[in-house]
Amino acid sequence: MLHSNFCARFLSVSDRVFNIFLNPMWLIAMLVLTPLLTIMAVNVGIIVSSRTSDPRAAEQLGSLVILPLMILYIGLMAGFIMLNSTTFWIASAITAVLDIGLMYLGVALFQRETILTRWK
């Protein structure tokens, strides 16, 4: 407990917040699910950019893609969706499958020359 208390004071956080960071579910989310969601965001950005004619339209469409994820986030924060290790692993598996599909779609749709000549 002394070590935890020292680290919490060193990082200027309460013991409760520090213990959350040591929770195995938090580590699973940060080490597995977060990189998968980042890959998904990049793939969606590539797909949206390849289908629009200017950067503003790509930005607006990209922000619409975020809305379903925000609904999930609000559900988590409100307590409608319960988090446990099974939920994290299922979400990670679904995200990995979606990442693979989006990567193949992004590679098929991405045409560098078209984007460079079409965008203003």
Side-chain angles (χ1 to χ4, degrees):
M1 188 67 171
L2 178 63
H3 177 68
S4 173
N5 204 1
F6 172 74
C7 290
R9 296 296 173 239
F10 179 72
L11 296 173
S12 298
V13 296
S14 70
D15 290 337
R16 183 173 180 230
V17 172
F18 183 75
N19 289 331
I20 289 172
F21 286 110
L22 296 179
N23 186 345
M25 285 194 318
W26 177 261
L27 293 174
I28 291 170
M30 291 298 110
L31 297 175
V32 177
L33 193 56
T34 300
L36 289 172
L37 289 172
T38 304
I39 292 169
M40 181 183 288
V42 170
N43 285 328
V44 168
I46 289 171
I47 292 167
V48 168
S49 295
S50 67
R51 304 308 303 165
T52 59
S53 60
D54 68 317
R56 289 182 305 256
E59 187 176 307
Q60 290 173 350
L61 283 175
S63 65
L64 284 176
V65 172
I66 299 292
L67 288 177
L69 294 175
M70 290 307 297
I71 292 170
L72 285 174
Y73 177 73
I74 291 169
L76 289 169
M77 292 296 116
F80 295 126
I81 300 172
M82 289 298 163
L83 296 178
N84 56 28
S85 60
T86 305
T87 307
F88 278 126
W89 288 117
I90 290 171
S92 297
I94 291 170
T95 306
V97 169
L98 288 173
D99 282 347
I100 292 168
L102 288 171
M103 193 174 300
Y104 282 118
L105 184 63
V107 167
L109 293 176
F110 186 75
Q111 297 175 353
R112 181 179 182 266
E113 293 79 19
T114 304
I115 291 173
L116 290 174
T117 58
R118 189 174 39 171
W119 278 23
K120 298 173 187 170

Short mmCIF file of all heavy atoms in Angstrom, two decimals, residues 62-108:
data_model
loop_
_atom_site.label_atom_id
_atom_site.label_comp_id
_atom_site.label_asym_id
_atom_site.label_seq_id
_atom_site.Cartn_x
_atom_site.Cartn_y
_atom_site.Cartn_z
N GLY A 62 -16.25 12.47 -41.81
CA GLY A 62 -15.51 11.78 -40.77
C GLY A 62 -16.10 12.01 -39.40
O GLY A 62 -16.13 11.11 -38.55
N SER A 63 -16.61 13.22 -39.16
CA SER A 63 -17.22 13.49 -37.86
C SER A 63 -18.55 12.75 -37.70
O SER A 63 -18.94 12.40 -36.59
CB SER A 63 -17.42 15.00 -37.67
OG SER A 63 -18.35 15.49 -38.61
N LEU A 64 -19.25 12.48 -38.80
CA LEU A 64 -20.49 11.69 -38.71
C LEU A 64 -20.21 10.24 -38.33
O LEU A 64 -21.03 9.60 -37.68
CB LEU A 64 -21.24 11.73 -40.05
CG LEU A 64 -21.99 13.01 -40.36
CD1 LEU A 64 -22.60 12.94 -41.75
CD2 LEU A 64 -23.07 13.27 -39.33
N VAL A 65 -19.04 9.75 -38.72
CA VAL A 65 -18.67 8.38 -38.38
C VAL A 65 -18.45 8.23 -36.88
O VAL A 65 -18.68 7.17 -36.30
CB VAL A 65 -17.40 7.97 -39.17
CG1 VAL A 65 -16.86 6.64 -38.73
CG2 VAL A 65 -17.71 7.96 -40.66
N ILE A 66 -18.07 9.30 -36.21
CA ILE A 66 -17.79 9.28 -34.78
C ILE A 66 -19.08 9.11 -33.96
O ILE A 66 -19.05 8.58 -32.85
CB ILE A 66 -17.08 10.58 -34.37
CG1 ILE A 66 -15.76 10.72 -35.10
CG2 ILE A 66 -16.88 10.68 -32.89
CD1 ILE A 66 -14.73 9.72 -34.69
N LEU A 67 -20.22 9.54 -34.50
CA LEU A 67 -21.47 9.53 -33.73
C LEU A 67 -21.83 8.16 -33.14
O LEU A 67 -22.19 8.08 -31.97
CB LEU A 67 -22.61 10.10 -34.56
CG LEU A 67 -22.55 11.61 -34.79
CD1 LEU A 67 -23.68 12.05 -35.70
CD2 LEU A 67 -22.58 12.36 -33.48
N PRO A 68 -21.78 7.06 -33.90
CA PRO A 68 -22.10 5.77 -33.28
C PRO A 68 -21.16 5.42 -32.13
O PRO A 68 -21.58 4.85 -31.12
CB PRO A 68 -21.97 4.76 -34.42
CG PRO A 68 -22.12 5.56 -35.65
CD PRO A 68 -21.59 6.92 -35.35
N LEU A 69 -19.88 5.77 -32.26
CA LEU A 69 -18.95 5.51 -31.17
C LEU A 69 -19.27 6.35 -29.95
O LEU A 69 -19.11 5.90 -28.81
CB LEU A 69 -17.51 5.76 -31.63
CG LEU A 69 -16.99 4.82 -32.72
CD1 LEU A 69 -15.61 5.24 -33.17
CD2 LEU A 69 -16.99 3.40 -32.22
N MET A 70 -19.74 7.57 -30.17
CA MET A 70 -20.11 8.43 -29.04
C MET A 70 -21.35 7.87 -28.33
O MET A 70 -21.47 7.99 -27.12
CB MET A 70 -20.37 9.86 -29.52
CG MET A 70 -19.12 10.59 -29.94
SD MET A 70 -17.82 10.59 -28.70
CE MET A 70 -18.58 11.49 -27.38
N ILE A 71 -22.26 7.27 -29.08
CA ILE A 71 -23.43 6.65 -28.46
C ILE A 71 -22.99 5.50 -27.56
O ILE A 71 -23.49 5.34 -26.44
CB ILE A 71 -24.43 6.18 -29.54
CG1 ILE A 71 -25.05 7.40 -30.22
CG2 ILE A 71 -25.50 5.28 -28.95
CD1 ILE A 71 -25.87 7.09 -31.43
N LEU A 72 -22.02 4.70 -28.02
CA LEU A 72 -21.48 3.64 -27.17
C LEU A 72 -20.81 4.22 -25.93
O LEU A 72 -20.97 3.70 -24.82
CB LEU A 72 -20.47 2.80 -27.96
CG LEU A 72 -21.04 1.83 -28.98
CD1 LEU A 72 -19.92 1.19 -29.77
CD2 LEU A 72 -21.87 0.78 -28.29
N TYR A 73 -20.06 5.28 -26.10
CA TYR A 73 -19.37 5.92 -24.98
C TYR A 73 -20.37 6.43 -23.95
O TYR A 73 -20.19 6.23 -22.75
CB TYR A 73 -18.49 7.06 -25.50
CG TYR A 73 -17.80 7.83 -24.41
CD1 TYR A 73 -16.73 7.28 -23.72
CD2 TYR A 73 -18.23 9.11 -24.06
CE1 TYR A 73 -16.11 7.98 -22.71
CE2 TYR A 73 -17.60 9.82 -23.06
CZ TYR A 73 -16.54 9.25 -22.39
OH TYR A 73 -15.93 9.95 -21.40
N ILE A 74 -21.43 7.07 -24.41
CA ILE A 74 -22.46 7.58 -23.49
C ILE A 74 -23.14 6.42 -22.78
O ILE A 74 -23.44 6.49 -21.58
CB ILE A 74 -23.47 8.47 -24.25
CG1 ILE A 74 -22.78 9.77 -24.68
CG2 ILE A 74 -24.68 8.78 -23.38
CD1 ILE A 74 -23.58 10.60 -25.64
N GLY A 75 -23.38 5.32 -23.49
CA GLY A 75 -23.96 4.14 -22.87
C GLY A 75 -23.06 3.56 -21.78
O GLY A 75 -23.54 3.12 -20.73
N LEU A 76 -21.76 3.59 -22.02
CA LEU A 76 -20.82 3.12 -21.01
C LEU A 76 -20.83 4.03 -19.79
O LEU A 76 -20.85 3.57 -18.65
CB LEU A 76 -19.40 3.06 -21.59
CG LEU A 76 -19.14 1.97 -22.60
CD1 LEU A 76 -17.80 2.19 -23.28
CD2 LEU A 76 -19.19 0.62 -21.94
N MET A 77 -20.80 5.33 -20.02
CA MET A 77 -20.75 6.27 -18.92
C MET A 77 -22.06 6.29 -18.12
O MET A 77 -22.05 6.50 -16.91
CB MET A 77 -20.46 7.69 -19.42
CG MET A 77 -19.08 7.88 -19.99
SD MET A 77 -17.83 7.64 -18.73
CE MET A 77 -16.97 6.23 -19.32
N ALA A 78 -23.18 6.04 -18.79
CA ALA A 78 -24.47 6.04 -18.11
C ALA A 78 -24.74 4.72 -17.40
O ALA A 78 -25.66 4.63 -16.60
CB ALA A 78 -25.59 6.33 -19.11
N GLY A 79 -23.96 3.70 -17.69
CA GLY A 79 -24.14 2.42 -17.03
C GLY A 79 -25.06 1.46 -17.76
O GLY A 79 -25.41 0.41 -17.22
N PHE A 80 -25.45 1.78 -18.99
CA PHE A 80 -26.30 0.87 -19.76
C PHE A 80 -25.51 -0.32 -20.28
O PHE A 80 -26.06 -1.39 -20.50
CB PHE A 80 -26.95 1.60 -20.95
CG PHE A 80 -27.90 2.68 -20.53
CD1 PHE A 80 -27.76 3.97 -20.99
CD2 PHE A 80 -28.94 2.41 -19.66
CE1 PHE A 80 -28.63 4.97 -20.61
CE2 PHE A 80 -29.83 3.39 -19.27
CZ PHE A 80 -29.67 4.68 -19.74
N ILE A 81 -24.23 -0.13 -20.50
CA ILE A 81 -23.35 -1.20 -20.97
C ILE A 81 -22.37 -1.50 -19.83
O ILE A 81 -21.66 -0.61 -19.38
CB ILE A 81 -22.59 -0.79 -22.24
CG1 ILE A 81 -23.56 -0.45 -23.36
CG2 ILE A 81 -21.64 -1.90 -22.67
CD1 ILE A 81 -22.92 0.15 -24.58
N MET A 82 -22.35 -2.73 -19.38
CA MET A 82 -21.45 -3.11 -18.29
C MET A 82 -20.12 -3.58 -18.87
O MET A 82 -20.08 -4.32 -19.84
CB MET A 82 -22.06 -4.23 -17.46
CG MET A 82 -23.19 -3.78 -16.63
SD MET A 82 -22.57 -2.55 -15.50
CE MET A 82 -24.05 -1.78 -14.98
N LEU A 83 -19.06 -3.13 -18.25
CA LEU A 83 -17.72 -3.49 -18.71
C LEU A 83 -17.15 -4.60 -17.85
O LEU A 83 -17.18 -4.53 -16.64
CB LEU A 83 -16.81 -2.28 -18.64
CG LEU A 83 -17.16 -1.11 -19.53
CD1 LEU A 83 -16.19 0.03 -19.30
CD2 LEU A 83 -17.14 -1.52 -20.98
N ASN A 84 -16.63 -5.61 -18.52
CA ASN A 84 -15.87 -6.66 -17.86
C ASN A 84 -14.87 -7.21 -18.87
O ASN A 84 -14.83 -6.76 -20.02
CB ASN A 84 -16.79 -7.76 -17.29
CG ASN A 84 -17.68 -8.37 -18.34
OD1 ASN A 84 -17.33 -8.39 -19.52
ND2 ASN A 84 -18.83 -8.86 -17.94
N SER A 85 -14.07 -8.16 -18.48
CA SER A 85 -13.03 -8.63 -19.39
C SER A 85 -13.64 -9.31 -20.62
O SER A 85 -13.09 -9.20 -21.72
CB SER A 85 -12.08 -9.58 -18.66
OG SER A 85 -12.78 -10.69 -18.17
N THR A 86 -14.76 -10.00 -20.47
CA THR A 86 -15.41 -10.63 -21.62
C THR A 86 -15.86 -9.59 -22.63
O THR A 86 -15.67 -9.76 -23.84
CB THR A 86 -16.62 -11.47 -21.15
OG1 THR A 86 -16.17 -12.39 -20.16
CG2 THR A 86 -17.24 -12.21 -22.30
N THR A 87 -16.43 -8.50 -22.14
CA THR A 87 -16.88 -7.43 -23.03
C THR A 87 -15.70 -6.83 -23.79
O THR A 87 -15.80 -6.58 -25.00
CB THR A 87 -17.58 -6.32 -22.21
OG1 THR A 87 -18.60 -6.90 -21.43
CG2 THR A 87 -18.17 -5.27 -23.12
N PHE A 88 -14.59 -6.63 -23.12
CA PHE A 88 -13.41 -6.08 -23.78
C PHE A 88 -12.88 -7.01 -24.86
O PHE A 88 -12.53 -6.59 -25.96
CB PHE A 88 -12.30 -5.79 -22.78
CG PHE A 88 -12.45 -4.48 -22.07
CD1 PHE A 88 -12.44 -4.44 -20.69
CD2 PHE A 88 -12.59 -3.29 -22.76
CE1 PHE A 88 -12.57 -3.25 -20.02
CE2 PHE A 88 -12.72 -2.10 -22.11
CZ PHE A 88 -12.71 -2.07 -20.73
N TRP A 89 -12.82 -8.31 -24.55
CA TRP A 89 -12.29 -9.25 -25.55
C TRP A 89 -13.24 -9.39 -26.74
O TRP A 89 -12.79 -9.50 -27.89
CB TRP A 89 -12.00 -10.61 -24.92
CG TRP A 89 -10.80 -10.56 -24.03
CD1 TRP A 89 -10.78 -10.78 -22.69
CD2 TRP A 89 -9.46 -10.24 -24.40
NE1 TRP A 89 -9.50 -10.61 -22.21
CE2 TRP A 89 -8.67 -10.29 -23.24
CE3 TRP A 89 -8.85 -9.92 -25.60
CZ2 TRP A 89 -7.31 -10.03 -23.24
CZ3 TRP A 89 -7.47 -9.66 -25.60
CH2 TRP A 89 -6.72 -9.71 -24.44
N ILE A 90 -14.54 -9.38 -26.49
CA ILE A 90 -15.51 -9.42 -27.60
C ILE A 90 -15.40 -8.16 -28.45
O ILE A 90 -15.37 -8.23 -29.68
CB ILE A 90 -16.94 -9.63 -27.06
CG1 ILE A 90 -17.09 -11.04 -26.50
CG2 ILE A 90 -17.98 -9.37 -28.14
CD1 ILE A 90 -18.39 -11.27 -25.76
N ALA A 91 -15.32 -7.00 -27.79
CA ALA A 91 -15.17 -5.74 -28.53
C ALA A 91 -13.87 -5.71 -29.31
O ALA A 91 -13.83 -5.24 -30.45
CB ALA A 91 -15.25 -4.56 -27.57
N SER A 92 -12.81 -6.27 -28.74
CA SER A 92 -11.52 -6.31 -29.44
C SER A 92 -11.59 -7.21 -30.67
O SER A 92 -11.06 -6.88 -31.73
CB SER A 92 -10.42 -6.80 -28.50
OG SER A 92 -10.25 -5.91 -27.44
N ALA A 93 -12.25 -8.36 -30.53
CA ALA A 93 -12.38 -9.27 -31.67
C ALA A 93 -13.22 -8.66 -32.78
O ALA A 93 -12.85 -8.73 -33.97
CB ALA A 93 -12.99 -10.59 -31.21
N ILE A 94 -14.33 -8.04 -32.42
CA ILE A 94 -15.18 -7.38 -33.42
C ILE A 94 -14.43 -6.24 -34.10
O ILE A 94 -14.47 -6.10 -35.33
CB ILE A 94 -16.48 -6.87 -32.77
CG1 ILE A 94 -17.36 -8.05 -32.36
CG2 ILE A 94 -17.25 -5.94 -33.70
CD1 ILE A 94 -18.55 -7.67 -31.50
N THR A 95 -13.70 -5.48 -33.33
CA THR A 95 -12.94 -4.36 -33.89
C THR A 95 -11.83 -4.86 -34.81
O THR A 95 -11.58 -4.28 -35.86
CB THR A 95 -12.35 -3.49 -32.76
OG1 THR A 95 -13.41 -3.09 -31.90
CG2 THR A 95 -11.68 -2.26 -33.32
N ALA A 96 -11.17 -5.95 -34.44
CA ALA A 96 -10.12 -6.51 -35.29
C ALA A 96 -10.69 -6.99 -36.63
O ALA A 96 -10.09 -6.74 -37.69
CB ALA A 96 -9.42 -7.66 -34.58
N VAL A 97 -11.84 -7.63 -36.59
CA VAL A 97 -12.48 -8.08 -37.84
C VAL A 97 -12.88 -6.88 -38.70
O VAL A 97 -12.66 -6.87 -39.91
CB VAL A 97 -13.69 -8.99 -37.53
CG1 VAL A 97 -14.51 -9.26 -38.77
CG2 VAL A 97 -13.23 -10.29 -36.90
N LEU A 98 -13.46 -5.86 -38.07
CA LEU A 98 -13.82 -4.64 -38.81
C LEU A 98 -12.58 -3.95 -39.37
O LEU A 98 -12.62 -3.42 -40.49
CB LEU A 98 -14.59 -3.68 -37.91
CG LEU A 98 -16.01 -4.08 -37.56
CD1 LEU A 98 -16.60 -3.13 -36.52
CD2 LEU A 98 -16.88 -4.10 -38.80
N ASP A 99 -11.49 -3.94 -38.62
CA ASP A 99 -10.25 -3.35 -39.11
C ASP A 99 -9.74 -4.04 -40.37
O ASP A 99 -9.32 -3.38 -41.32
CB ASP A 99 -9.16 -3.41 -38.05
CG ASP A 99 -9.32 -2.35 -36.98
OD1 ASP A 99 -10.11 -1.41 -37.18
OD2 ASP A 99 -8.64 -2.46 -35.94
N ILE A 100 -9.80 -5.35 -40.37
CA ILE A 100 -9.34 -6.10 -41.55
C ILE A 100 -10.22 -5.77 -42.75
O ILE A 100 -9.72 -5.51 -43.85
CB ILE A 100 -9.33 -7.61 -41.25
CG1 ILE A 100 -8.24 -7.93 -40.22
CG2 ILE A 100 -9.12 -8.43 -42.52
CD1 ILE A 100 -8.32 -9.32 -39.64
N GLY A 101 -11.53 -5.76 -42.56
CA GLY A 101 -12.43 -5.42 -43.66
C GLY A 101 -12.25 -4.00 -44.15
O GLY A 101 -12.21 -3.74 -45.37
N LEU A 102 -12.10 -3.06 -43.22
CA LEU A 102 -11.89 -1.66 -43.62
C LEU A 102 -10.55 -1.46 -44.30
O LEU A 102 -10.43 -0.63 -45.20
CB LEU A 102 -12.00 -0.75 -42.40
CG LEU A 102 -13.40 -0.55 -41.83
CD1 LEU A 102 -13.34 0.19 -40.50
CD2 LEU A 102 -14.28 0.19 -42.81
N MET A 103 -9.55 -2.24 -43.91
CA MET A 103 -8.24 -2.12 -44.56
C MET A 103 -8.32 -2.57 -46.01
O MET A 103 -7.80 -1.90 -46.90
CB MET A 103 -7.20 -2.92 -43.80
CG MET A 103 -5.78 -2.59 -44.23
SD MET A 103 -4.52 -3.40 -43.24
CE MET A 103 -4.88 -2.78 -41.62
N TYR A 104 -8.99 -3.69 -46.25
CA TYR A 104 -9.15 -4.15 -47.63
C TYR A 104 -9.97 -3.15 -48.45
O TYR A 104 -9.63 -2.86 -49.61
CB TYR A 104 -9.81 -5.53 -47.68
CG TYR A 104 -8.86 -6.65 -47.36
CD1 TYR A 104 -9.06 -7.47 -46.26
CD2 TYR A 104 -7.75 -6.90 -48.17
CE1 TYR A 104 -8.19 -8.50 -45.96
CE2 TYR A 104 -6.87 -7.92 -47.89
CZ TYR A 104 -7.09 -8.72 -46.79
OH TYR A 104 -6.21 -9.73 -46.50
N LEU A 105 -11.01 -2.60 -47.88
CA LEU A 105 -11.82 -1.61 -48.57
C LEU A 105 -11.03 -0.33 -48.84
O LEU A 105 -11.11 0.24 -49.92
CB LEU A 105 -13.08 -1.30 -47.75
CG LEU A 105 -14.08 -0.35 -48.37
CD1 LEU A 105 -14.66 -0.94 -49.66
CD2 LEU A 105 -15.19 -0.04 -47.39
N GLY A 106 -10.25 0.10 -47.86
CA GLY A 106 -9.43 1.30 -48.03
C GLY A 106 -8.40 1.14 -49.12
O GLY A 106 -8.18 2.06 -49.92
N VAL A 107 -7.76 -0.01 -49.18
CA VAL A 107 -6.77 -0.27 -50.22
C VAL A 107 -7.44 -0.29 -51.60
O VAL A 107 -6.90 0.24 -52.57
CB VAL A 107 -6.02 -1.59 -49.94
CG1 VAL A 107 -5.21 -2.04 -51.15
CG2 VAL A 107 -5.13 -1.44 -48.73
N ALA A 108 -8.63 -0.85 -51.68
CA ALA A 108 -9.34 -0.92 -52.97
C ALA A 108 -9.81 0.45 -53.43
O ALA A 108 -9.79 0.74 -54.63
CB ALA A 108 -10.53 -1.87 -52.86
#
